[in-house]
Every structure is written in structure tokens, then in C-alpha cells.
Amino acid sequence: MYVTITDFMKEWSKEATLTQNILDGLTDDSLKQQVYQEGRNIGRIAWHLTISIPEYLAAFGVTIEKVKNAENVPTSAKDIAETFKRISVNAAKVIEEQWTDDSLKQIQVAFGRQESNASILMGLIKHIVHHRGQITVLMRQAGLKPFGVYGPPKEDWIHFGVENPPL
């Protein structure tokens, strides 16, 4: 749980960078990869996690610019990655400007429950992490090597002297 805005900013910076690395590894062709025929594809998931940041924050009282034409999923992986970068930087900026350490203790109704703003911010990060995980699985299915997030992908274990990575 975050006790200070600085605590949140440290984690936000780390998680936004990890997400940016994943998004930077996407290709335009990979955006079409789906889990199943009716399911979301990488492009829609990546766009959803991107546009949901300002929507989520605005729902909890943060004044932030939403993404224009958010209903239109870009066909360019670069456009999604650049939009995420802009939004994640702006989200950090407006949270620092608008919320204080005391703001984190304030309680709001979030998804039908009473939650502190600190919990709400943690929920935002968990939402991004959840969708980032979906994207890395779909990247494999699309033939791409995902960026190592909390550890290396299987191809990079060799750099640690491990020829056969653990299952």
C-alpha cells in the first residue's frame, strides 16, 4: 500500500517503464493476434490499457485529459506505444499535482466498495499489469519474444549461465 505519493510514483515509474518496453516490442502485424476468434487482439488490449488510465483516474476525481478518438484502435504499434508513453507521463504529473500524501488516505466508493485512494491507485497498476500479462502471452503466439518483465524470457536465461531454464 502506498503511504506517500513518492511511494506510488516509484512504483508507477517502474511499472510504466516495463509496460512501455512490452508495447515497444509490438509490431503492426502482431496487433492482430487473438487468443480465440471472438476475443480481443493484442491491439485492442494494448489500446484498452492505454486509454483506461485517464478514464480510471478521472472516475476518481483526478482532472486529466482523456484520449481523443479512444474508440478507434490504432493499427500502428508505434502509435499505441507513443500514446501510452504520453499518457503515463501525464498521469504521473497530474497525480503529483492534484493528490497529496493525505489524499491517499481519503476513502471513495470504487467498484461498489469503500476504498482508499491508495488502494485505487494500486488497482490502476494491477489493471495495467493484468493486461500486460495478456499481451506477453499473445506476443509469443504472434512469434515475438516478449521483453522480460519480472524476470528474463526463456531465450535470455543463457545470459545467466542457464542453458535449460526452469519450467
Side-chain angles (χ1 to χ4, degrees):
M1 189 66 63
Y2 311 114
V3 177
T4 67
I5 292 293
T6 301
D7 293 340
F8 170 75
M9 296 309 293
K10 286 178 186 173
E11 187 163 9
W12 180 260
S13 177
K14 181 177 92 176
E15 295 299 332
T17 298
L18 292 170
T19 303
Q20 189 69 57
N21 290 335
I22 294 293
L23 296 178
D24 287 343
L26 297 176
T27 64
D28 293 350
D29 284 341
S30 73
L31 297 181
K32 301 170 193 158
Q33 183 65 45
Q34 293 176 280
V35 176
Y36 58 96
Q37 191 169 359
E38 299 83 23
R40 290 179 177 175
N41 59 30
I42 291 178
R44 181 163 295 285
I45 294 167
W47 190 238
H48 165 73
L49 81 81
T50 299
I51 65 169
S52 68
I53 295 168
E55 291 172 356
Y56 185 100
L57 291 172
F60 297 108
V62 176
T63 303
I64 186 169
E65 182 181 340
K66 293 186 181 178
V67 178
K68 292 177 179 70
N69 301 314
E71 66 281 356
N72 299 321
V73 178
T75 57
S76 162
K78 183 178 179 183
D79 288 349
I80 294 171
E82 287 177 355
T83 303
F84 177 83
K85 180 180 271 185
R86 180 177 49 79
I87 286 173
S88 64
V89 167
N90 189 47
K93 178 179 175 258
V94 298
I95 289 168
E96 274 191 313
E97 290 172 354
Q98 297 177 35
W99 281 8
T100 64
D101 295 349
D102 285 337
S103 299
L104 296 177
K105 299 172 192 168
Q106 293 173 359
I107 304 296
Q108 297 191 54
V109 175
F111 311 108
R113 303 182 298 275
Q114 296 285 318
E115 298 282 347
S116 68
N117 284 341
S119 292
I120 289 168
L121 289 179
M122 185 175 288
L124 175 60
I125 287 180
K126 287 179 178 180
H127 179 255
I128 291 168
V129 169
H130 162 73
H131 289 304
R132 188 175 67 205
Q134 291 176 315
I135 292 168
T136 60
V137 170
L138 290 170
M139 287 177 81
R140 281 277 183 212
Q141 291 179 350
L144 299 176
K145 176 186 144 194
F147 178 85
V149 178
Y150 298 124
K154 68 178 184 163
E155 297 88 346
D156 292 347
W157 277 93
I158 193 76
H159 302 298
F160 299 97
V162 179
E163 290 188 33
N164 296 311
L167 297 175

